[in-house]
Amino acid sequence: MTEPFRSFVIFAEMRTGSNLLEATLNGLRGVTCFGEAFNPYMMGWPDKDELEGVTRAEREADPLVLLNRLIDKPGHMSGFRYFHDHDPRVFDAIMTDASCAKIILTRNPLDSYVSTRLAWDTNQWKLNETETPIPATITYDGPEFRQMLDAVERFQARVLHRMQVSGQTGFWLGYEDLRDADVMTGLAHWLGRSDVARLEPARDQVPQNPRELAEKVKNFDQMQQDLQQVDPFILRRIPNFEPRRGPSVPSFTAVEAGQGLLYMPVRCGPGPQVRDWMDKLGDLGQDFTQSSLRQWKRKHPGHRSFTVLRHPLYRAWHAFQQVLTDGPVELRQLLRQVQRVPLPDDNDLSGLSQDQQLDLFKPFLNFLRRNLNGQTTLPTYAAWASQSEVISGFARFATPDMLIREDRLAQDMELLAGAAGIGNAKLRHLQVDAIPEFLLRQPLIDAARAAYLRDYIAFGFEDPA
């Protein structure tokens, strides 16, 4: 049975109507909304430095002290408004507390942006029926709006994801709902207030700028043109169904040279050549755990880390070679029977000519595209996982200082080695291969791009000439 709510949070943003919603909820007996309790610049409301006996300094030292003070009120339901730029230290505590009701308030982001800019310009943040709105217009700033939109969308997606994984539901409100008594009554009942027959919206606030946007924005035509760049439906998004990867710490290699150099390899890249070169610089450290690598980092202040990106076409070829020579028998059998890669029997693999291998390589690239898009039952092996996902996995433990393209390895490594205090980097021993000419066939080039489009876009890879 669902436990009753003890508290609530209003997830909102500036100029979404959160003041009106707060006033409406405060009209309920036994309910208190404590404003923007975790706004870094104020304590609940402007010009306040203390809230429920907690000072700003105490909140700064430990925001959970204030959170517990606000919600620990037996027989009383209290809450607050929380925006995307409020104290992040309380977010996890809010989201893991299923007894805290989540109210999500949204508004057309362009209306919110214009209203916020007008409020900043006029310093008029609330309006009652006895006050006169200050007439003003704003100049639309495209980059500023898109930055705001991105921050709000990422925060809303984060809230939604946390509710989904924890099995919680929220009460979603639009700006236009705030003056609908039926919706407000539904909210009161959802919060558990079955004793409330009807909840009327607060009457002490009125809309400040009920004009069309063309009257509030000086450069309205420019704004319309700029908004064509905004993609509300994310039409250009590349779907990503590839499984998330871990940091792969045991594959890292460190060398005791200068202040220390750490290699974070991507499988089927130039790992053997890089390790051979590192071996000539000094003693190598390998087989790390996350704990032992942290210790190595502490002992080597000033160390540098790197990974090497290989062109997706050439990297896929290396993955294909591994499948032919070292891959499990069961994998090759699945590729033959299910994944439409017409590999010959294992006994005949060693006798394949280069042209025969190339004829099989394109079906393998087509399989990779399906595999990376989650369209096969086979897992995505590290040998052919996208480099963007592999590096995202690294970042879950440590982000490399430099991503080096294989074709620039010697030039860029000279800079990185110098930054790590390695005087003689012995780069003459660092030899890497160029993409072999036999791979430069247009059908293979096109198939590699289709399979690894995320990598092409993320890292700027070009089709090999």
Side-chain angles (χ1 to χ4, degrees), residues 129-412:
E129 60 184 350
T130 65
E131 296 173 322
T132 302
I134 300 172
T137 56
I138 63 110
T139 300
Y140 169 82
D141 184 323
E144 180 182 62
F145 170 68
R146 288 189 291 276
Q147 184 178 13
M148 179 274 291
L149 181 64
D150 178 67
V152 170
E153 287 180 342
R154 282 189 285 109
F155 178 69
Q156 290 176 347
R158 185 182 176 203
V159 169
L160 176 60
H161 181 261
R162 288 294 297 270
M163 288 197 299
Q164 287 174 325
V165 300
S166 59
Q168 299 182 59
T169 58
F171 197 96
W172 296 78
L173 287 171
Y175 177 76
E176 294 78 11
D177 296 325
L178 300 179
R179 299 182 186 279
D180 187 324
D182 291 334
V183 175
M184 292 298 100
T185 303
L187 172 60
H189 292 170
W190 181 76
L191 289 172
R193 295 299 301 272
S194 56
D195 60 312
V196 177
R198 188 169 180 82
L199 177 59
E200 294 288 344
R203 299 295 183 184
D204 62 343
Q205 297 175 40
V206 299
Q208 285 183 232
N209 297 287
R211 299 172 288 157
E212 63 174 330
L213 283 175
E215 298 179 13
K216 294 186 281 190
V217 180
K218 297 175 184 176
N219 54 339
F220 183 75
D221 292 338
Q222 179 185 339
M223 181 182 77
Q224 286 185 300
Q225 184 177 0
D226 181 77
L227 289 174
Q228 295 177 13
Q229 302 179 48
V230 177
D231 183 8
F233 302 108
I234 322 179
L235 301 177
R236 299 298 298 179
R237 178 177 64 92
I238 303 172
N240 180 21
F241 299 102
E242 187 176 350
R244 296 176 67 182
R245 309 202 71 82
S248 303
V249 169
S251 69
F252 295 0
T253 299
V255 62
E256 298 291 332
Q259 294 155 304
L261 195 62
L262 180 67
Y263 175 41
M264 306 164 71
V266 176
R267 287 279 302 276
C268 287
Q273 298 98 309
V274 173
R275 290 188 188 92
D276 287 346
W277 164 71
M278 294 177 72
D279 190 42
K280 294 177 173 58
L281 295 180
D283 294 334
L284 298 184
Q286 294 178 299
D287 299 321
F288 286 108
T289 64
Q290 292 192 16
S291 177
S292 63
L293 184 55
R294 287 191 185 96
Q295 294 174 18
W296 183 90
K297 284 172 169 281
R298 290 191 187 100
K299 293 177 182 177
H300 295 80
H303 67 268
R304 296 293 185 270
S305 58
F306 69 100
T307 192
V308 182
L309 303 172
R310 170 167 275 174
H311 193 282
L313 175 62
Y314 193 27
R315 180 166 172 265
W317 175 255
H318 277 264
F320 180 57
Q321 295 300 308
Q322 284 193 9
V323 169
L324 295 181
T325 58
D326 302 323
V329 174
E330 296 82 2
L331 171 60
R332 289 192 293 272
Q333 195 64 18
L334 274 175
L335 290 174
R336 291 186 192 101
Q337 295 179 346
V338 181
Q339 300 303 333
R340 305 190 289 279
V341 182
L343 297 177
D345 291 337
D346 280 9
N347 293 333
D348 300 325
L349 288 176
S350 60
L352 290 175
S353 68
Q354 187 179 91
D355 285 340
Q356 289 173 320
Q357 291 185 27
L358 288 171
D359 289 340
L360 297 171
F361 185 40
K362 186 174 185 297
F364 180 74
L365 287 170
N366 293 337
F367 155 72
L368 292 185
R369 175 179 53 79
R370 297 193 303 273
N371 180 260
L372 294 173
N373 284 328
Q375 295 175 306
T376 73
T377 55
L378 278 167
T380 299
Y381 290 99
W384 63 66
S386 69
Q387 293 176 88
S388 49
E389 186 57 44
V390 171
I391 292 167
S392 293
F394 293 163
R396 293 179 183 109
F397 176 77
T399 304
D401 288 292
M402 184 178 285
L403 305 179
I404 302 176
R405 275 72 176 165
E406 185 176 17
D407 59 356
R408 286 191 51 84
L409 185 54
Q411 300 98 303
D412 291 347

Side-chain angles (χ1 to χ4, degrees), residues 52-164:
E52 291 294 285
V54 178
T55 66
R56 287 185 69 172
E58 291 171 328
R59 184 188 69 176
E60 186 65 25
D62 184 1
L64 297 184
V65 172
L66 176 59
L67 178 64
N68 293 329
R69 187 74 58 86
L70 295 181
I71 66 176
D72 188 19
K73 295 181 180 296
H76 193 94
M77 176 174 283
S78 56
F80 50 89
R81 294 180 280 143
Y82 188 93
F83 300 174
H84 80 273
D85 55 355
H86 287 186
D87 194 331
R89 296 174 295 173
V90 299
F91 183 78
D92 285 341
I94 296 169
M95 297 308 301
T96 56
D97 183 3
S99 69
C100 176
K102 278 72 176 178
I103 304 169
I104 300 95
L105 174 61
T106 62
R107 184 185 184 185
N108 180 310
L110 185 61
D111 286 332
S112 293
Y113 168 75
V114 172
S115 181
T116 300
R117 289 290 308 275
L118 286 169
W120 280 116
D121 290 352
T122 62
N123 199 32
Q124 190 174 55
W125 295 89
K126 288 194 292 185
L127 187 72
N128 63 42
E129 60 184 350
T130 65
E131 296 173 322
T132 302
I134 300 172
T137 56
I138 63 110
T139 300
Y140 169 82
D141 184 323
E144 180 182 62
F145 170 68
R146 288 189 291 276
Q147 184 178 13
M148 179 274 291
L149 181 64
D150 178 67
V152 170
E153 287 180 342
R154 282 189 285 109
F155 178 69
Q156 290 176 347
R158 185 182 176 203
V159 169
L160 176 60
H161 181 261
R162 288 294 297 270
M163 288 197 299
Q164 287 174 325

